[in-house]
Amino acid sequence: MNIDRNAPVGVFDSGVGGLTVAREIMRNLPSEKIVYFGDTARVPYGNKSRDTVLRFSRQIIRFLKSQGVKAIVTACNTASAFALDEIRQEEEIPILGVIEPGARVAAEKTRNKKVGVIGTVGTVGSGIHEAYLKKFDPSVTVFGKACPLFVPLVEEGWLHDPVTVEVAGRYLQELREKEIDTLILGCTHYPLIRSTIADIMGDGVQLVNPAYETALELLHLLKEKNLLSSGTEKEEFPYRFYVSDLADKFKDFANSILPYDVAVTRKIDIENY
Ligand code: DGL
């Protein structure tokens, strides 16, 4: 396959959460162009079945390929857990997920070999973090906890609200009792409440943000495949955003968290792909 190194990278998520991953790509790979797709009409993925998430992911991959991307980052943890293995077998284009990079770093960082994972019901129920962590270090014990209320709280903008602190305290108590020393933020939204989670878990627990690790893995992958952008082609809009619903709402959220002004977000009909 002949791939243009100056083509954009495709990034997708069930909605706004994957912007935490796009943000790390913007910071760490500033020469790369991005086509982002947020499935705002069908979010959340976290409580849907594997088959449904796989079908949605296949449609999005087809859309991103129609935009001429050179590689794809599945920024959504639930889609990475449920769909990545299969779509990788179906596609020639390089596709990265967010689970493996986070698990790799957590396995490297843990000293007492007790690692916690928080995420959606789908991601935690899939057991995929445990599978990767054990691959990297069989002596690691993994404790998962689904935290489904975090996503709506973040989308409501209640990042430092007492309600969020209360909810986080209740979810995380179980993991505190397990005396983990490393915690994977296994959902796109959680880096946005990182400080609340850090306060509750205390200094003895290192938090792993897979968004950052995924950006670094993308850098390695593009280097290895000789696909790093030459950075010579300047474009007025190096970052393009597409959604399946409520483009203006998405744009407002994006502008609240990205270090870049999102001028235009377009709505497309993802069911056509
Ligand atoms: N993006 C999803 C994830 O990282 C969270 C939101 C959802 O449930 O769709 O798992």
Side-chain angles (χ1 to χ4, degrees), residues 22 24 56 65 90 129 173 180 192 210 236 252 261:
E24 295 300 338
F56 291 172
K65 280 171 53 183
E90 296 163 1
H129 283 95
Q173 181 56 29
I180 58 168
L192 298 171
E236 192 185 355
D252 290 345
D261 181 35

Side-chain angles (χ1 to χ4, degrees), residues 13-15 17-18 43-47 75-79 120 123 151 155 186-189:
D13 178 49
S14 54
V43 67
Y45 283 10
N47 54 11
C76 179
N77 289 261
T78 311
T120 64
T123 301
V151 167
E155 296 207 355
C187 174
T188 46
H189 291 58

Side-chain angles (χ1 to χ4, degrees), residues 2-227:
N2 205 2
I3 308 181
D4 173 10
R5 62 186 302 185
N6 290 317
V9 173
V11 178
F12 79 93
D13 178 49
S14 54
V16 292
L19 292 169
T20 57
V21 179
R23 180 172 70 174
E24 295 300 338
I25 298 173
M26 291 172 183
R27 282 180 183 148
N28 294 286
L29 292 83
S31 300
E32 297 301 331
K33 289 175 272 183
I34 296 174
V35 176
Y36 183 97
F37 178 77
D39 200 357
T40 47
R42 306 187 293 193
V43 67
Y45 283 10
N47 54 11
K48 292 196 170 64
S49 70
R50 179 182 294 272
D51 282 355
T52 299
V53 173
L54 182 57
R55 183 168 71 81
F56 291 172
S57 301
R58 283 189 177 124
Q59 286 177 324
I60 298 168
I61 301 276
R62 284 196 281 274
F63 165 69
L64 290 173
K65 280 171 53 183
S66 77
Q67 299 299 303
V69 299
K70 63 182 172 187
I72 292 175
V73 177
T74 307
C76 179
N77 289 261
T78 311
S80 298
F82 280 169
L84 189 64
D85 285 349
E86 278 185 72
I87 52 181
R88 263 182 173 161
Q89 280 169 26
E90 296 163 1
E91 299 292 340
E92 270 186 63
I93 186 165
I95 306 180
L96 278 183
V98 283
I99 308 277
E100 189 175 351
R104 180 180 297 112
V105 170
E108 276 162 24
K109 283 193 166 172
T110 181
R111 292 286 155 261
N112 74 0
K113 307 294 178 193
K114 290 183 184 175
V115 175
V117 178
I118 51 176
T120 64
V121 172
T123 301
V124 172
S126 76
I128 191 165
H129 283 95
E130 177 160 13
Y132 274 115
L133 278 156
K134 291 241 182 252
K135 190 178 102 184
F136 296 129
D137 182 347
S139 68
V140 168
T141 306
V142 184
F143 302 95
K145 176 76 186 166
C147 306
L149 291 175
F150 282 174
V151 167
L153 287 168
V154 168
E155 296 207 355
E156 197 60 27
W158 292 8
L159 304 184
H160 305 286
D161 192 277
V163 172
T164 306
V165 175
E166 164 75 20
V167 170
R170 283 175 69 168
Y171 278 144
L172 299 174
Q173 181 56 29
E174 208 177 296
L175 293 177
R176 280 163 51 94
E177 286 163 12
K178 304 288 188 217
E179 297 180 342
I180 58 168
D181 73 352
T182 306
L183 177 62
I184 301 177
L185 306 180
C187 174
T188 46
H189 291 58
Y190 301 179
L192 298 171
I193 49 167
R194 187 191 175 111
S195 58
T196 300
I197 296 170
D199 286 349
I200 291 167
M201 294 311 292
D203 288 344
V205 178
Q206 330 174 62
L207 302 186
V208 173
N209 176 5
Y212 173 70
E213 308 304 338
T214 302
L216 297 190
E217 190 142 321
L218 176 66
L219 178 63
H220 290 145
L221 176 102
L222 295 180
K223 251 190 206 155
E224 184 192 289
K225 297 203 174 289
N226 214 10
L227 283 177

